[in-house]
Every structure is written in C-alpha cells, then in structure tokens.
Amino acid sequence: MENVTVKDIVEMTGGILLCGDENTPVADICINSKEIKEGDLFVPVIGERVDAHRFIESAMEIGAATLTSRHNDVVIAQKPYIRVDNTVDALQKIGAAIRSRMTFPVVAVTGSVGKTTTREMITKALSTSKRTFHTEKNLNSQIGVPITLSRMSSEDEIAVLELGISEEGQMDILSRMVKPDMAVVTTIGVAHIEFMKSQEIIRHEKLSVAHFMKEGGTLFLNGDDDLLKDAKQTEALSCRTLFYGTEDWCDYYAKEIVYYDSYTTFICVHGDREAKVMLNTLGKHNVGNCVAAIAVANENGIPMEEAAKAFSEFQGQRQRIIPLEGKFTLIDDTYNASPDSMKASINVLCDIPCTGRRVAVLGDMFELGENEVRYHRELGEFLTNKPLDEVVVLGELSQNIKEVIDNSESKIKTYTFSDNEEAAIYLMATLRPEDVVLLKASNGMNLKEVVNILLA
C-alpha cells in the first residue's frame, strides 16, 4: 500500500485502535498468517471451518498490525490491534478507499468463462503504451478484489481488474469498490448456476457491473454470446455499449481467421480500420478475447495496429499447448471447467492441425446444481459430432458423457478409469508422437496430477 498508516486504516474502516502506534506504516495486506511479511496488515477472516483470529498472535510476530472483530477491550500488545465489526467488510472499505485515491482509469473484466484470459490479453495490449496494473493470480473475489485494489499506486497509468462472483449481490459489492471506467463481459454460462439458479440471473448479475461504472464509461459485450447479443434491450443498459466478436455486425470483429499448429492469425476490424494479428494460442474463443483486448486498448488511445503487436508472444495462465518432442502434443487446460469452457477447449482440440489421433481426457464439472447430469449429457451430445478419436472420462458425473457417446452412432472410442494414475499410465502407453491430447475438468478432479505424470 502506498503511504498508508494504521491511522489511515482506522479512518478507512471506522474502526477503533485498541493498542499500538497509529503512525505505524502499513505496506501490504495478508489474510494467511503463514505468508505474512514485515509491514503487513493481517486481516483474520472468519471462514466456514476456521476463524483466523486464532492466528493473530503468531501473525503479529512478523506483521505490522492486525484487524480484529474478536477483541472488544484494551489489548496489551506492542503492535496495533484495530477493532472492527466485520473484518471482510473492513477489508472492502480499505480497498474502496485506496481506489478513491487513484485518478487513472480502471477496466473491470467479468464473465462466466474467459475472464482471466481476457484480463491477461487486455493487460498485454495496454502495456504496449501504458504502465498497467492488473489482478494477479486469482485475487478476483470478495476478499481478493480489495487486496488487489490496495496494491495500486499513483505511478500506475491504468488498471485491469478481474471480478469473479458466485452468488447474487456480489457484483454490486465488487463494482461499488472498483468503480470502473470501462467494463468487459465475456460470456454468460452456467458456472455457479448451483447458487444463481438460471442463466438469466447470471446475466443480470454480471451486467450489474455497469451500475457503478463512472459517468461516460463504456461497456464491452461479447457479440458471439447469445445471451449478450440482446443485453441492451433485456437489461435496459443506458451506458455506452460496444460489441466485440467474430461476427461482422460487432463494433470490433475478427475476420479471415486461420489456425496453425500453435498460433492463430486474423484481421481485427473496427469501422474502416483493420489490423493484422498473430495470436500465440488457439481457439475461436481466444480470438474473441483478443478482439476485446484490442478494442479496450483502442478506446484508451492505443491504435489497433500497436496493440495487435503484443499477441505474437502472448502466454496465458490457463490453457497451455505443450509439444513434447518424440512423444505427443499436450493441451493442459486443467485449471477449471464448465460446460462452456469444456466446449471451447474441445473446439481447440479439433482445430489444431493433427496427423494422428485427437484424444480428450475429461473429468467431472462441479457447481452445476440440480441439472448437473443434464449438462454432462449435453456435453456428450456435443462430442458425438466432433472429429475425435478417443474420449477418456474420470469421475462419476462424467460417466454420463461416455454413456451418451456409446449410445450414439459416433465412432469415438471411450474409456473410463477409476483414478488419475490409471489414466496417466494408459495415456503414456498408447499416445504416439503425432497425437494430440486434451485434459480438462473442474479443479476438484485434480487432473493436474495426470499432466505432471505425462510431463515427468
């Protein structure tokens, strides 16, 4: 944090200083006592299983100060204890206060699928001309966003912040803190539908990012997403709205898309201007993400041609295409999964040039609510029309994928294994140098274990 003291924290949170020096400087925020550093403000979060207040004393052996909602009276300690009613609410007040100090524009990125990759691409495009602050790792939640906001500095020229939600009302909390000048909505899928019940509710929640957008702000919507195409009418959006995608009615769109072994080329069009792009990844969805990034950059004064140059070296955190010389090509997309992201990854597997077999290793998708079986069966139906050679499934829900394929007229061979090690042994024994294999599932399936075995 920039020029922040304990006194500032007390004022930001409306808390009470129980002990310690109010002039103590605070450099950063930490919620994990095992990771605390000198100068950190410890924020003990009360979780479903653990109340982090129990770790305050150990955290204060290193940290500079702590919030607390469990101490009501004077505390005998050398370092500052700040009493607040709720530590998460206080953390969010700190984030909002730091944001209010900054005068540079902020771009918010949200959506059911693709928000991290889109945020990375926007950061890449903006960084060609501006000092760009951005969300790191997965700090996009009710706790992660205020921590991210607290790390902005007056030396930054623009910020790109990822906003992730899982329940109704959370986007209002995040966007009230962030107060974006621009916002990008990538897709409206069924991720977290277990908690938000319908895609229409998910759309309403995602688009509420515009509620706290600054006057004159711009909302970028994915024109390739069926639920966002008519969002201006269904959600009565009054802000300036631009569409991006791969269809020529969009304000920014891609044409002449060509997929190669590990990269894609296309032309980005806006009005009468065009820019050639070489994108160092595959997938139609990534083309759309890249167009969004170029659109945001262009609207921030960076010419499309200049922004486009950034993507020949783009390396995203999520999907990795790894050619293993003498073995096979591995598409590691094990970070997480939903029906929409599954389909996008399958399309990448189908688009990549391949002289051997295309093999998909798929695990269960979680947080899909009462219709989880239907979503897995729909994915099976989607696969029956794809040029795949094998589908390997892991997990109870994924047996529905296999069952649908087996009962269709598809020639895809299907296999099931009881654990990740068995699947890895099978793949190592059967994959050939000309084959391409995709691995994808929700985090809880731990498919990363298979990747690590294959890479060993």
Side-chain angles (χ1 to χ4, degrees):
M1 287 188 283
E2 186 177 65
N3 301 322
V4 174
T5 65
V6 165
K7 181 180 180 180
D8 295 319
I9 298 296
V10 171
E11 292 175 352
M12 290 172 180
T13 61
I16 300 171
L17 182 61
L18 299 179
C19 64
D21 184 355
E22 67 175 14
N23 294 314
T24 301
V26 178
D28 199 1
I29 291 173
C30 179
I31 60 171
N32 186 341
S33 61
K34 295 179 180 179
E35 298 176 356
I36 200 158
K37 309 179 298 298
E38 289 186 13
D40 282 358
L41 171 70
F42 182 56
V43 179
V45 175
I46 302 173
E48 293 182 3
R49 298 180 180 178
V50 178
D51 181 351
H53 283 79
R54 61 189 284 195
F55 305 116
I56 285 180
E57 289 188 10
S58 62
M60 285 304 91
E61 292 177 5
I62 300 174
T66 183
L67 298 184
T68 176
S69 62
R70 298 301 198 201
H71 296 78
N72 296 310
D73 301 317
V74 174
V75 175
I76 300 175
Q78 292 184 335
K79 294 181 180 179
Y81 279 56
I82 303 165
R83 160 72 192 189
V84 295
D85 291 335
N86 182 295
T87 54
V88 173
D89 287 347
L91 173 61
Q92 292 172 349
K93 289 177 181 177
I94 294 170
I98 299 296
R99 166 66 179 108
S100 67
R101 292 182 174 187
M102 306 302 162
T103 58
F104 52 76
V106 172
V107 181
V109 183
T110 190
S112 299
V113 179
K115 55 184 175 289
T116 297
T117 301
T118 303
R119 182 255 299 167
E120 292 172 342
M121 288 186 175
I122 293 172
T123 299
K124 192 78 171 177
L126 292 172
S127 296
T128 58
S129 299
K130 299 176 183 288
R131 177 173 170 138
T132 306
F133 177 87
H134 60 90
T135 299
E136 294 184 345
K137 300 179 180 178
N138 61 344
L139 293 176
N140 65 1
S141 65
Q142 305 293 298
I143 293 173
V145 168
I147 293 174
T148 298
L149 288 169
S150 74
R151 293 172 177 171
M152 296 193 299
S153 84
S154 57
E155 295 182 1
D156 297 313
E157 297 177 303
I158 194 166
V160 186
L161 304 183
E162 182 179 330
L163 310 185
I165 62 170
S166 58
E167 298 178 8
E168 291 182 65
Q170 290 184 344
M171 185 57 76
D172 275 359
I173 295 172
L174 295 181
S175 52
R176 185 183 291 113
M177 278 189 284
V178 171
K179 289 185 171 57
D181 299 85
M182 294 182 175
V184 179
V185 182
T186 60
T187 55
I188 305 300
V190 295
H192 306 300
I193 202 166
E194 177 182 3
F195 309 107
M196 289 193 277
K197 305 307 180 186
S198 74
Q199 284 185 283
E200 287 71 26
I201 291 175
I202 293 172
R203 175 177 62 186
H204 181 75
E205 283 298 306
K206 299 293 185 183
L207 291 174
S208 66
V209 69
H211 291 174
F212 295 93
M213 197 156 56
K214 290 190 175 180
E215 186 176 353
T218 302
L219 182 65
F220 298 83
L221 300 180
N222 182 359
D224 292 338
D225 187 285
D226 290 337
L227 283 170
L228 289 175
K229 284 182 179 179
D230 60 350
K232 289 181 71 172
Q233 291 74 38
T234 56
E235 297 291 330
L237 297 172
S238 59
C239 59
R240 179 176 182 242
T241 304
L242 297 176
F243 286 90
Y244 67 89
T246 59
E247 299 184 31
D248 61 10
W249 63 267
C250 294
D251 299 282
Y252 289 83
Y253 67 93
K255 68 176 184 180
E256 299 180 23
I257 303 170
V258 181
Y259 301 109
Y260 296 90
D261 287 347
S262 59
Y263 67 95
T264 308
T265 63
F266 66 93
I267 295 175
C268 186
V269 182
H270 174 56
D272 60 356
R273 292 175 52 200
E274 297 184 351
K276 294 182 179 179
V277 184
M278 189 183 84
L279 175 61
N280 188 36
T281 189
L282 296 173
K284 181 181 178 182
H285 63 295
N286 279 324
V287 171
N289 296 338
C290 185
V291 172
I294 293 172
V296 171
N298 191 62
E299 295 296 322
N300 279 285
I302 301 174
M304 293 197 305
E305 300 80 5
E306 187 68 25
K309 295 176 182 177
F311 296 103
S312 62
E313 299 177 353
F314 175 77
Q315 296 288 338
Q317 294 181 35
R318 294 296 188 255
Q319 187 182 89
R320 296 190 301 155
I321 300 175
I322 310 170
L324 300 174
E325 189 174 352
K327 292 184 178 181
F328 47 83
T329 296
L330 171 65
I331 303 176
D332 174 9
D333 203 355
T334 54
Y335 178 78
N336 216 336
S338 67
D340 295 301
S341 67
M342 277 281 200
K343 292 173 183 177
S345 293
I346 292 296
N347 285 334
V348 170
L349 175 60
C350 295
D351 289 336
I352 191 170
C354 173
T355 59
R357 297 173 303 154
R358 291 185 169 92
V359 180
V361 181
L362 309 176
D364 292 355
M365 299 176 286
F366 300 143
E367 295 185 359
L368 296 178
E370 60 185 15
N371 293 314
E372 59 184 6
V373 171
R374 174 168 68 84
Y375 290 124
H376 284 82
R377 295 188 70 83
E378 287 178 354
L379 180 60
E381 293 171 5
F382 175 81
L383 291 169
T384 60
N385 297 314
K386 294 298 178 180
L388 302 181
D389 297 280
E390 290 186 12
V391 171
V392 176
V393 298
L394 290 150
E396 183 178 346
L397 288 169
S398 293
Q399 299 308 312
N400 291 283
I401 299 173
K402 181 180 187 301
E403 182 179 323
V404 170
I405 296 173
D406 289 345
N407 291 333
S408 72
E409 296 181 359
S410 171
K411 296 182 180 180
I412 298 173
K413 296 178 181 179
T414 63
Y415 301 90
T416 185
F417 294 96
S418 59
D419 60 50
N420 291 339
E421 186 176 0
E422 281 188 3
I425 292 171
Y426 167 76
L427 293 170
M428 289 190 295
T430 60
L431 289 172
R432 299 187 292 268
E434 61 271 20
D435 295 341
V436 181
V437 59
L438 163 72
L439 288 93
K440 188 162 182 69
S442 283
N443 274 331
M445 294 300 296
N446 296 316
L447 274 197
K448 198 71 176 180
E449 293 176 348
V450 181
V451 172
N452 292 337
I453 293 173
L454 295 179
L455 294 178

